[in-house]
Amino acid sequence: MDWQYFLGVLHFIVQPMSLFTMVVSVFFGLIVGMLPGLTATMAVALLTGLTYKLSNEVAILSLVAVYIGAISGGCQSAILMNIPGTPASAATAVDGFPIGQRGEGGLGIFIATMSSCVGTLTGTLCVLLLTPPLAVLALKFGSYEFFLLALFGVMICGQLTAGTDPLKGWISGILGLIVSQIGMDGMNAYPRFSFGVLDLMSGIPLIPVMIGLFGFPEILYGLVSSTARAQVKTTSLEMKKGFGIIIRNKLNLIRSSLIGVMIGIIPGVGEDVAGWLSYWAEKKSSKTPEMFGKGAYEGVVAAETGNNAFAVPGSAPAAVLLAALWLHGLRPGPLLMSESPGFVVDISVYMAISAITMVFLALIVSKATVRILSVKSTILMPIVYVLCTVGAYVISNSIFDIYLVFIFGLVGLLLREMSYPAAPFLLGIILGPMADNSLRRALILSSGDPSPFFTRPISLIFASAIILMALTQLNAFGWLRKLLVHSELKE
Amino acid sequence: MEKQSHFDFVTSIGLMILSLVMIVDSYRMAIDVGGPLYASPGMLPMMLALLLLLTSTMLLRRSIRSGGFGKNLAGFLSWFKSFRNSRKAREMMLGGLILALYTFIMAPRLPFWMSTSIFMILVMAILKATSITKSILITALVVGSIYGIFQVIFHVPLP
C-alpha cells in the first residue's frame, strides 16, 4: 500500500465539503434503500445525474457513500417488511423478517448494520492488502468454474431456504434459471422464448422481478383482512444485547468476511452468492441449525457480513456505480492501476469511512423506521405498492417493467402458497446469464468434451459438492447403507 | 401435508408439461442456429428442462406415494371448490383486481398524480382503512413527495 495516496485521501476526506457530501449521500442512500420498492440500484442511478456539477473526487465520494448507504438501507426493508432493497438482502430477510415479526425489528436492524459495517471494513482491508495474491487466485476461475459456481449457488440457496424440502428449493432455482434464458442470448443474439414480443427480447430485468416476487405477496396479504398481519409492537434498538450477539458471533463474522472476500474477487459474481454461502456455512456449523429461517440472529450476521465483505462487487447496484465512475473519467478495468494509481486506496478509504458513518446514521434513522410495523397494513400497503411501481419504472422508464412487477408478483404469490421459496428463483435469474455464457464457452473451448468440469481442481471441488448435495437429497447414501447391511446379513 | 400433496401432484404435472415444451423448443433453437448442440442457444435451456423434468418427476412420485393418483386428484378438486367459495379467496381476488387495475389500466394511461391518487383513495376507502379526510391527506403527502423528489429534484419522468 502506498502511504502517500493514503494520506492524500485522508486529507481530502476531512475537508468540510467532503464530509458534508459524504454524510448527505449516505443518508440519501439509506432513505432510498430502506423504502420498500426503491432499490440501491435506483439510488446510485438517481444521484449520478446530480454529481455532474461536482468535482471528480467529490462526485466519486458521493457515489460510493450513496452505494454504502443504500445497500445498508436495503436490509432494513428486508427485516421490517420482507421486501429486500437489494437482491443480496434476500438472504438477510430469511431470518431478519421473523426477527422483526416477533417485535425485535430494532435489534435485527442493529445486528444487520453492525455486521454489514464489519463486512465492509474487512472487504476494504483485504482490497488494500491482498489485491495482488487474490487477483492470482481469481485468474484460476475459468468458464468451467463460473458455470459450476452458478449451479452450486442456486443449489445451496434452494437447500437453505426450503426448510425440510430441498427439492422445492431446487425446482424454484431451476425455474429462475429458466426465466433468465428469456431474451436474446449473449453469444448468437438468438431470441429465446420471446414469442415475437419486443420487450421480452431484451430479457427479464432483475429489479422488477425482485420487487414483484417479494413485495407483491406482502402487499396483497396486507390488503386482505383475513391474511393481514397483526400490528407488531416494536422494541428499541437494544444495543447492549446487539453488541453481545455480535461478540458471540466473532467466529461467524470472520468466516463470513473471508467467504465474502473470496467470492468477491471473482469478477461478475454478485454479493448475493457470498451472502448465501456465508449463511450456509454458518448454518452448517451451528449447534441449532433448526432455528435458521425462524429468526436466528446468526443468520442475519452471516448474510450481512458476507454480502458486504466484497472486494469487487458484481451486483446490479455495483454495475451502476462502475458506470457512474466511468462517466467521471475513470476507466474501471485492467488499465485502471496505471491510469489512476491511487484509485484503489481512494475507493477503499471512501468505503470504510462511509461504512462507519452509515452505522451512526442507520441507528438514528431506524429509531423511526421500526415504527413502520405499527402502521395499519391497509394504509401502508397501498403506499408500498405505489413505491414498488415507481421503483420498477424509473430504472429504465419502461411501463413493461410495471407489468412485470405484477406478473412476477403473482408468481411469487403462487410460490408462497405452494411452499416454494422465492429466493432461489431470484438467484436463478441473477446467475442464469453467467451460467449460460460460461457453459457454452467452456464446451466450445473443449470441443464439446465435458471432462474439464471434473478434472480442473476448482471445478472438481464444485462438481463434487453439487453431486454430493444431489445424492443426499436422493437418499443415495441411505440406499447404499441398506445395501451394505443386506449384503452383510447375506454373508 | 395432505393439502401439500394435492398441490405437489398438480404442480408437478404442470412443470412436467412445461419441461417437455421447453425441450422441444430448445431443440428447435439448435436446429435454427445450426452448428453443434453444445454451442447452440438451446444448450442450457435444454439442460434446465431436463433437470426440471427430473425434479418434477420426483415430486410427482412423492405425491403419488403419499396419497395415490385418484385420491390426490379428488383432494385437489375438493380444495378448489372450497377455495372458490372461501372469503379469503374472494378478498384476494378483489385485492388483486384493484392492483391490476392500477398496473394495467390507470398507470399507463393517466398522469402519475391522477392514477396514484385515485388508486390510493379508492383502496383506503374500500378497506375502510381510515376516514376519507385522512385518506386524502395521506394520498396528497405521498403523491406530492414522490412527484417532488423524482420529477422536480432528479428530473426523472414518472409513469
Side-chain angles (χ1 to χ4, degrees), chain B residues 7-24:
Chain B
F7 285 152
D8 292 350
F9 176 74
V10 175
T11 44
S12 61
I13 292 172
L15 291 173
M16 284 168 86
I17 294 168
L18 174 72
S19 58
L20 291 173
V21 171
M22 272 189 64
I23 289 170
V24 174

Side-chain angles (χ1 to χ4, degrees), chain A residues 142-165:
Chain A
S143 300
Y144 307 95
E145 288 80 11
F146 276 123
F147 171 70
L148 289 171
L149 178 64
L151 210 60
F152 181 66
V154 172
M155 282 189 78
I156 279 285
C157 182
Q159 182 123 4
L160 287 172
T161 51
T164 52
D165 197 356

Side-chain angles (χ1 to χ4, degrees), chain A residues 258-276:
Chain A
L258 289 177
I259 290 173
V261 170
M262 296 305 285
I263 295 294
I265 56 164
I266 306 164
V269 182
E271 294 93 315
D272 23 70
V273 177
W276 284 113

Side-chain angles (χ1 to χ4, degrees), chain A residues 2 4-5 56-57 60 325-326 328-348 350:
Chain A
D2 204 325
Q4 168 199 335
Y5 294 121
N56 270 359
E57 290 82 11
I60 292 164
L325 295 179
W326 195 83
H328 282 284
L330 287 164
R331 302 281 176 271
L335 294 178
L336 185 72
M337 294 300 276
S338 57
E339 285 176 356
S340 319
F343 175 77
V344 174
V345 179
D346 290 357
I347 291 285
S348 302
Y350 294 166

Side-chain angles (χ1 to χ4, degrees), chain A residues 415-481:
Chain A
L415 289 175
R416 192 183 288 195
E417 286 290 322
M418 306 278 177
S419 306
Y420 289 82
F425 190 96
L426 182 69
L427 196 63
I429 293 181
I430 296 168
L431 296 176
M434 183 176 93
D436 181 39
N437 288 333
S438 304
L439 173 70
R440 284 158 64 198
R441 200 176 297 134
L443 288 172
I444 290 168
L445 283 172
S446 62
S447 307
D449 177 17
S451 63
F453 285 107
F454 307 98
T455 50
R456 290 164 63 103
I458 300 174
S459 293
L460 185 64
I461 296 171
F462 282 127
S464 311
I466 291 167
I467 292 167
L468 209 66
M469 238 189 293
L471 289 178
T472 314
Q473 168 60 23
L474 292 166
N475 198 23
F477 298 109
W479 289 347
L480 198 68
R481 204 180 300 126

Side-chain angles (χ1 to χ4, degrees), chain A residues 163-230:
Chain A
T164 52
D165 197 356
L167 185 62
K168 287 193 170 179
W170 295 349
I171 289 177
S172 176
I174 294 169
L175 287 173
L177 285 167
I178 288 171
V179 170
S180 75
Q181 303 304 300
I182 295 173
M184 296 224 189
D185 83 288
M187 293 175 90
N188 301 72
Y190 184 91
R192 295 184 292 203
F193 312 115
S194 305
F195 313 107
V197 178
L198 212 61
D199 286 311
L200 284 178
M201 284 186 191
S202 57
I204 300 290
L206 176 64
I207 299 297
V209 175
M210 183 188 80
I211 294 172
L213 276 178
F214 290 91
F216 189 89
E218 289 300 328
I219 293 164
L220 202 57
Y221 287 134
L223 289 177
V224 174
S225 61
S226 54
T227 52
R229 62 165 187 260

